[in-house]
Amino acid sequence: MIDYDLDSGGVCRITWNNPGAPVNVQNAAAIGAFIEAVDRALADPAVKGVIVASAKREFIAGGDLDTLRLVSSPPEARNRVAAINACFRRIETSGKPFVAAVNGSALGGGFELVLACHRRIAADNAGARLGCPEVKLGLIPGTGGTQRLPRLAGVEAGSGLLLKAKTVGVGQAAALGIVDEVVPAQDLISRARDWLLSNPAVRQPWDRPDFRYKDFQPGSEAWRNFFTVEAPRLLAAISTDPVSAILEVLAEGLARNIDEGLAIEARHFGLLACSPAAKNRIRTLFYAEKAARNLRAGAPDAAPFRPRRVGVVGAGQMGAGIALVCARVGLDVILVDNSEENARKGLGRVRKSLDAAVQRGHMAAPARDAALHRITPTADCARLEGCEAVIEAVVEVQGVKEQVIREIAAAAGAEVLMASNTSTLPISVLARASPRPDRFIGLHFFSPVERMALVEVVLGEKTAEATLGASLDLLRIIGKRPVVVRDGPGFFTSRVVAARSREALRMLGEGVSPALIDRSGEQAGMPIGPLAGSDWTSYDLLAEIQGGLVRAGRGTAKDGQEALAAIQRLVEHGRLGRKSGGGVYDYDDRGGRRLWPGLSELFPPAAAQPSAEEIRRRLLHIQSIEAVHAIDDGIIEDPLQADLASVLGWSYPSFHGGVLAYVDEIGVRAFVEQCDELAGRYGERFLPPRRLREMAARGARFHDI
């Protein structure tokens, strides 16, 4: 798994080559073999320098999460990285030059190895990403990333990358000073060899007595301002969970020498690695997402569905987003709307998004132009002929969608893979408008489509397995993460989000302070308060969605009349939400908001207000209860998929791991007891489903770890 080669010129090549795996992962065996190879090179007087390379398409993917998620104590976690940390310092202080020949992506621990080498040379690979994304998993880098990256890129730039868990391409890495050279791929090893032979004596910048940061120095006013004002402000906008410890590591470690900084990092890494937040995030954002990425269906020997031309009907915000993600990966797109003007407006939406991507450095201008060239805007539905898949994304009105489905079938043919982008309308009913209900499926995208990874795949009563398989292939091509559910009111995501919205609106009707409701939701980890979220949806649409769910009478929606009454009161007073200029909040032209002064007349404040903890509990518990009802109704089966849907779909607090991981975190028995208490105070909607009582009785959990 680690290849060792010494040429006649004294250049040693240590190559990562994990057997039987598409990528190199830093598991215990690979790390042990790498350390052995490094020590062998350091001990051999014939070795003048070392090239660290990869035999895989990518460099090194990172650490072994299979092992890490099993650690149970901070000392155990620290011990997992102690040997490789010591090895990196031997590399740096040995006097022999080491070059990282980075042929592809280097992430997490793989990138930390790159940082520990004296020279970093990258192949000119447009798809390669470099960085430390550990914060997304509730961790911090554990093998020097927090200390070496800011010492190379500067305190502000390096800390910003770490706090945001941001990865960069090789060009941006070179601009930041993280990479020293970018060369053609075919020249990578030869350039690394030339540099080694030309630089026999090397030291890392931070091991020199005259080391200074690029931007500002410890103890300076700029340093104090960054760590007391700027970095905390940045972190508050990203997360409120235990990963905020990374700021302490940066502030303390960067003010000291490298060895003291590494010790501080290791201590905090150990604390976070065994935390519930890290384990929850690893389970959901790594294992569940990996499972979704690899999801397959249909006959095992069926050829993958690889369309070249797809249709999107409806050029509004959702349709334009779907067209964008398809064109971006090389698919030709026919973008249809009811007029040429509207179709071209849709193309304009795509252009605006792609222009923004170019400005942010996420896309090259030629790639943007090529993507735009692949989209054909039109009002002629007949242009869908020859499309291998068509996604309708028109207004959420059943009659309109049914008419569009009939027009698609007439133009593209009955055999075409047809999907509806709907958040609530029944797929089995919409499928009746198609001549082939077995070729019809729901693909519920989330807005903004270009940034939201999740797609809720909804199976109708007659959806064929082959149709599901082809849909999963299409989603894999455009880089989305599918969660498969069965048809039913609100499917899974809309159903659970609606339960949260009902609870917030019910509290508003009870006289709970709207500011307290939204502030408590944000403190619970929601990116936006539930009432502000309802304003975004709009109350006329919410009345339709919530009314349908209440009439269906599933789960917590049986007790939804009070929330409907609050919605109706807002609608009657012309408070339709953000689209009309105001709902619970008033909005200005710059997007700012403040509570509508007339709200207290519609919903007189109660004399006694609940605690923020009580509000958080109501908002979070009701989502988990509704999720369990959805399992009981056969809408979704896999708890891991339910958790992934909640985190990716509506930004459920990832440090809890998802709506069902939250129950495990509390403990099923304790959760049931809390639900019974809430039911006694607020109503039967909080009564735990029988499944939860049975799980509590036998000490069961939704997840093993």
Side-chain angles (χ1 to χ4, degrees), residues 463-673:
T463 302
E465 187 76 3
T467 301
L468 171 60
S471 300
L472 296 176
D473 287 342
L474 174 60
L475 294 176
R476 192 173 302 109
I477 290 169
I478 63 176
K480 297 301 180 184
R481 305 291 178 262
V483 168
V484 180
V485 304
R486 297 204 171 273
D487 201 5
F491 315 138
F492 178 73
T493 57
S494 296
R495 174 174 174 168
V496 180
V497 172
R500 186 188 69 186
S501 297
R502 281 194 304 273
E503 198 60 32
L505 288 162
R506 182 155 185 158
M507 285 189 245
L508 182 66
E510 293 170 0
V512 178
S513 161
L516 179 59
I517 294 169
D518 272 2
R519 188 167 61 248
S520 300
E522 291 168 356
Q523 289 171 351
M526 300 173 193
I528 184 173
L531 294 177
S534 294
D535 270 12
W536 273 96
T537 303
S538 80
Y539 293 101
D540 50 349
L541 178 57
L542 265 180
E544 188 175 326
I545 293 171
Q546 295 283 12
L549 291 169
V550 171
R551 285 191 296 274
R554 303 282 182 85
T556 63
K558 294 176 184 176
D559 192 11
Q561 291 299 335
E562 294 297 327
L564 282 179
I567 293 172
Q568 188 60 35
R569 217 175 302 170
L570 287 163
V571 172
E572 287 172 355
H573 284 76
R575 307 296 297 181
L576 300 184
R578 202 178 194 284
K579 71 176 184 181
S580 68
V584 168
Y585 294 89
D586 278 330
Y587 299 87
D588 60 35
D589 294 338
R590 299 184 301 276
R593 69 172 191 246
R594 65 184 183 90
L595 284 171
W596 174 44
L599 199 63
S600 60
E601 295 180 18
L602 280 189
F603 305 101
Q609 293 289 315
S611 67
E613 174 58 32
E614 183 80 348
I615 293 171
R616 289 194 293 270
R617 182 171 289 189
R618 287 177 68 173
L619 292 173
L620 293 175
H621 278 50
I622 202 70
Q623 293 179 71
S624 298
I625 293 169
E626 188 61 43
V628 176
H629 282 304
I631 292 175
D632 288 341
D633 289 342
I635 302 300
I636 195 166
E637 296 178 1
D638 184 359
L640 208 55
Q641 281 204 322
D643 282 343
L644 183 67
S646 63
V647 172
L648 296 186
W650 66 89
S651 299
Y652 184 91
S654 62
F655 54 87
H656 287 312
V659 285
L660 299 179
Y662 174 71
V663 179
D664 282 349
E665 187 178 289
I666 293 171
V668 179
R669 183 175 289 113
F671 183 82
V672 166
E673 292 171 355

Side-chain angles (χ1 to χ4, degrees), residues 89 92 115-120 148 150-153 177 180 202-214 258:
R89 284 303 281 156
E92 293 184 308
L115 296 175
C117 291
H118 302 99
R119 188 77 172 173
R120 292 156 289 279
R148 294 186 177 96
R151 282 173 166 84
L152 277 176
D180 299 299
V202 291
R203 294 178 76 184
Q204 291 284 33
W206 43 84
D207 284 321
R208 297 173 186 151
D210 61 347
F211 171 73
R212 290 178 62 82
Y213 289 101
K214 284 184 176 180
I258 186 70

Side-chain angles (χ1 to χ4, degrees), residues 2 73 82 94 158 171 176 278 300 309 344 395 397 411 420 443 484 522 598 641 648 654 698:
I2 300 293
S73 69
S94 67
L176 289 167
R309 187 182 189 199
R344 293 197 175 278
V395 63
V397 176
S420 174
L443 294 180
V484 180
E522 291 168 356
Q641 281 204 322
L648 296 186
S654 62
R698 64 177 189 272

Side-chain angles (χ1 to χ4, degrees), residues 422-433:
T422 176
S423 58
T424 57
L425 295 177
I427 294 301
S428 299
V429 173
L430 292 178
R432 296 172 192 163

